[in-house]
Each structure stands twice: as C-alpha cells, then as structure tokens.
Amino acid sequence: MRKSSAEMVENMNMQEYIEEAEQALLHTYNRYQIVLERGEGVYLYDLEGIKYLDFVSGIGVFALGYHNKEYSEALKTQIDRLIHTSNYYYNIPAINAAKKLKAASGMDRVFFTNSGAEAVEGAIKAARKYAFLKDGSTDHEIIAMNHSFHGRTFGALSVTGTEKYRGPFEPMIGNIRFADLNDMESVRKQVTDKTCAIIMETVQGEGGVIPAEETFLKEVKALCQERDILLILDEIQCGMGRTGYFYAWQRYGVKPDIMTTAKALGGGVPVGAFLMTEKVAERSLGAGDHGTTYGGNPLACAAVEKMLELFETQSVLEHVRETAPYLEKCLDQLKDRYDCILERRGLGLMQGLVFDRPVGEIIDRALEEGLLLINAGQNVIRFLPSLVISKANIDEMADILDSCLEQVCTQGDPDGQA
Ligand SMILES: *Cc1c(COP(=O)(O)O)cnc(C)c1O
C-alpha cells in the first residue's frame, strides 16, 4: 500500500530532511547538521528529541524564551481577529505598539518594518531626505564604521564595514565613508561639508561584540550637534534589554536622532522599526516618501505590544542586570583557565570571548555536547542567551564549554589562576 505524502513526511528522519533542504534551499548558509523542532524556555529540541541549551536564541530574537504562553496566546488571539490590513488604514496593535515603543525608547516617531535591514534602509532614507531639505543637493555623505554590520540589502550593505560582504555586489549606494569605532580622530578625518549622518551599532554584534566607548559616543554626538549631522544608532542586536537597558545608548544618555530596532522586538515574528526625534520627523520623510505592504501589520504589532508588556510585567531589565555580572564572572573564569582565550568583552547579556584561533571547532564540539553557540567573526564566540536565562543555565553552559575547551585548548598554569 502506498503511503500518503503526509505519512512519508512524518517518517522522514533528520538526515533525510537535511538532504531535502540541500536540494530545495539556496545554499547561502553552511548550516549545523540538526533540524530543530520545538523549544521550551531556554532549551531547543531537535527532531531526534535531543535537547540543547540555547545561547544563541535565534540571534538574540527569542528574548523571553521559547514557548512563552502569554506571548503565544496573544498571537493566537490576533490571528483569529485580524492578521493584515495594509497601511492605508489604522490598526489598534500598531497604535499600541508604537506608543509603548516611544515610551521605552524616548524617541518620538515610529515606522514599522519587516526586518532589521529594512529599518536601516529607512534610517538612511530619512537622513538623506533631512539633508536634502536643507540644501536641495543630492550628494550627501554618510560615515559608517569598519567591522559594522547593518544588514544585507543594498543600503544596509553599503554601510556595512566588512569588505567581503560588499565586494561582489558593487556598486553600493554612493558617498559612504568608513571610520573606526572608538577612534574619534578617524571619524573627524571623514567629516566633510557633505556629511549628513554617522551610523553605528551601539555595541557591534557580528563584528566581534565590541561596545562603543562612552567617551567616543559622547564625542560623536557633540560633533553631530555642532554640524547638524544626524546620529543613527543601530540597536537591532544590542537593543531590547540585552545590555540591561532598554536600548544600549540609554546607559550613556547619548540619544540618537534616528534609531533602528528589530531582532527581539517581535520575539520571533519578523518585525523591525526605525524611530526618530520630532525634529527629524518634521523635516525628513513625508507622505509618499516611504512605505511597506506588511510593515506594522496587526499580527507583527501584536507581537511587539506583547513583548513590551512582558518586559515590564516580568521585570526583564532587572533580571538582565542581575544575571549579566554572573555570566561575565563565569566567562572570566574560563578566560583565566585557558590560554587560548585572549579577552572577554561585551555588555550585559551580549558577550564575546576572543580566542587566539578560529572558534568553529569549539562551537561544533559544544553542539555535540548539547550547547548552541555562535561566532562573531572567525575568532570570537558570541553569547546571546535568552534574557530570562538563570544562573543555573549559565553554570550549565560554562561546564559544557569548559569540557569542550579542555579538549581543544591547553590549560594555563593551574597555580597561576587568579
Ligand atoms: C541582524 C542585524 C541587522 C540586520 O537585521 P535583519 O533582520 O537580519 O535584516 C542589522 N543590524 C544589526 C546590528 C544586526 O545585528
């Protein structure tokens, strides 16, 4: 008797799924060889039922853990009510989400997008339009940072400071100049009469988990104010509570003119946003200047609204501030134990361990031992756990990583431990 295709799919094992994926999907990722099926809290399960402690959280997206019942219920309710309407009409979740996002960020105006890259695109357009309205010219320049990452669409890619991501796709959008993060002189060197914006991540993510220093941020902000240059802070990865502040810049009080957010914003539903001050909003994008079919639809915005509500009711920022020092301590202990770890850096629950070698082998071993980690560049392991991670979860991670490092790295002098 022939099996129905549904039955055949049910009986496929993990390897067969992986083979099918490699036949059907464009090969733009070298994926780890597991098929993930479900999640619970800070754990993921693959098709064979193997459990993984997740320190990736979908690249910092599932901030409140998997299978959060309140979040899931809110989405289900909205699915039954209204999923999409287009931006020609108002919808209540978008209004509520925008109000909450304004309150959390201190910014004045919100434009919802479907992804981080689209938020960056909008930010760049707003900055160019602002400059255009001042002098009517169209040759304005933007300063971006080396090693930055802002996304894969053309505008976002043009301000991404990694040559290998841009190279094959040239020409980029024009008039982008690159400076070095935390090097004010390098920024000053790139400023001209045409500079309309400076864009950077408050904490570089993909580039290796590198926080912008407080003095640098303040000097950039002062320069921007002096010359009416717009400061664009990309908070797509470091925002939404990850550093213990709702947005990382709030730690320093260096408020951007335009800000981008995404990743954890919708807790898994694809949604991003760019926000701006009233000053920029009044003199940049107007009716007809920008749009999106899906952006800010009721389903995505119900997710945003619920995430922002849960951040409050579950005291997420307080929890991050309490657990982050513990994560730092555990990572520092590993650094003291193994010579192959050169440095720990990061802010809050966005941490990186810098190694003296490529970290691929360590990440592979961790996966075999039930721990999901990702890199940030070749030599850095990046830690982006769910924001509701417990100290016990951190201990579990540190134990597994310790056993992986024991196999890969030589230990330092045991008596020399701090
Ligand atoms: C992930 C990321 C982006 C791009 O977001 P997508 O949703 O993947 O388009 C942009 N900027 C930063 C800092 C990011 O981490």
Side-chain angles (χ1 to χ4, degrees), residues 4-41:
S4 73
S5 64
E7 274 174 326
M8 276 168 47
V9 165
E10 289 232 330
N11 291 333
M12 267 170 61
N13 68 26
M14 205 154 80
Q15 197 48 47
E16 286 165 339
Y17 272 115
I18 290 170
E19 276 156 25
E20 293 221 325
E22 291 308 324
Q23 294 303 314
L25 295 172
L26 190 66
H27 195 123
T28 51
Y29 287 94
N30 290 318
R31 291 181 166 86
Y32 295 102
Q33 296 296 296
I34 54 173
V35 179
L36 293 170
E37 194 180 34
R38 64 187 182 89
E40 195 65 49

Side-chain angles (χ1 to χ4, degrees), residues 309-320:
E309 184 191 313
L310 290 170
F311 262 73
E312 267 178 47
T313 56
Q314 300 191 355
S315 307
V316 171
L317 295 185
E318 290 77 2
H319 181 78
V320 172

Side-chain angles (χ1 to χ4, degrees), residues 204-221:
Q204 286 192 341
E206 308 293 322
V209 193
I210 307 171
E213 287 163 9
E214 181 169 1
T215 48
F216 176 74
L217 273 174
K218 288 188 166 158
E219 281 174 29
V220 169
K221 175 75 187 177

Side-chain angles (χ1 to χ4, degrees), residues 202-366:
T202 319
V203 183
Q204 286 192 341
E206 308 293 322
V209 193
I210 307 171
E213 287 163 9
E214 181 169 1
T215 48
F216 176 74
L217 273 174
K218 288 188 166 158
E219 281 174 29
V220 169
K221 175 75 187 177
L223 174 78
C224 286
Q225 279 175 323
E226 191 186 305
R227 306 192 53 141
D228 199 22
I229 295 168
L230 299 180
L231 175 61
I232 306 172
L233 290 180
D234 182 342
E235 290 263 348
I236 289 169
Q237 193 164 144
C238 63
M240 288 297 289
R242 182 136 301 271
T243 67
Y245 290 77
F246 215 98
Y247 287 104
W249 59 262
Q250 290 168 335
R251 183 186 191 105
Y252 309 116
V254 178
K255 187 177 177 177
D257 302 288
I258 303 175
M259 188 192 95
T260 58
T261 179
K263 289 199 163 87
L265 178 64
V269 170
V271 59
F274 63 98
L275 295 90
M276 56 186 79
T277 60
E278 195 62 32
K279 178 187 129 185
V280 180
E282 276 169 5
R283 294 167 233 182
S284 62
L285 300 178
D289 274 338
H290 199 54
T292 161
T293 301
Y294 289 132
N297 88 9
L299 180 62
C301 285
V304 175
E305 189 186 345
K306 198 61 183 182
M307 285 296 286
L308 296 177
E309 184 191 313
L310 290 170
F311 262 73
E312 267 178 47
T313 56
Q314 300 191 355
S315 307
V316 171
L317 295 185
E318 290 77 2
H319 181 78
V320 172
R321 287 180 198 180
E322 201 189 303
T323 38
Y326 190 72
L327 174 62
E328 290 182 356
K329 193 183 101 189
C330 290
L331 295 177
D332 282 340
Q333 281 170 351
L334 288 171
K335 189 193 82 167
D336 290 341
R337 181 123 91 239
Y338 293 101
D339 289 342
C340 59
I341 304 176
L342 304 177
E343 187 189 351
R344 174 192 62 79
R345 62 193 179 204
L347 279 183
L349 291 179
M350 180 173 183
Q351 295 287 333
L353 279 182
V354 186
F355 285 75
D356 64 358
R357 66 193 71 191
V359 293
E361 188 190 345
I362 301 167
I363 292 175
D364 287 344
R365 269 175 202 262

Side-chain angles (χ1 to χ4, degrees), residues 115-118 120 149-151 201 206 234 236-237 262-263:
S115 67
E118 281 174 73
V120 173
F149 182 85
H150 297 290
E201 300 152 86
E206 308 293 322
D234 182 342
I236 289 169
Q237 193 164 144
K263 289 199 163 87

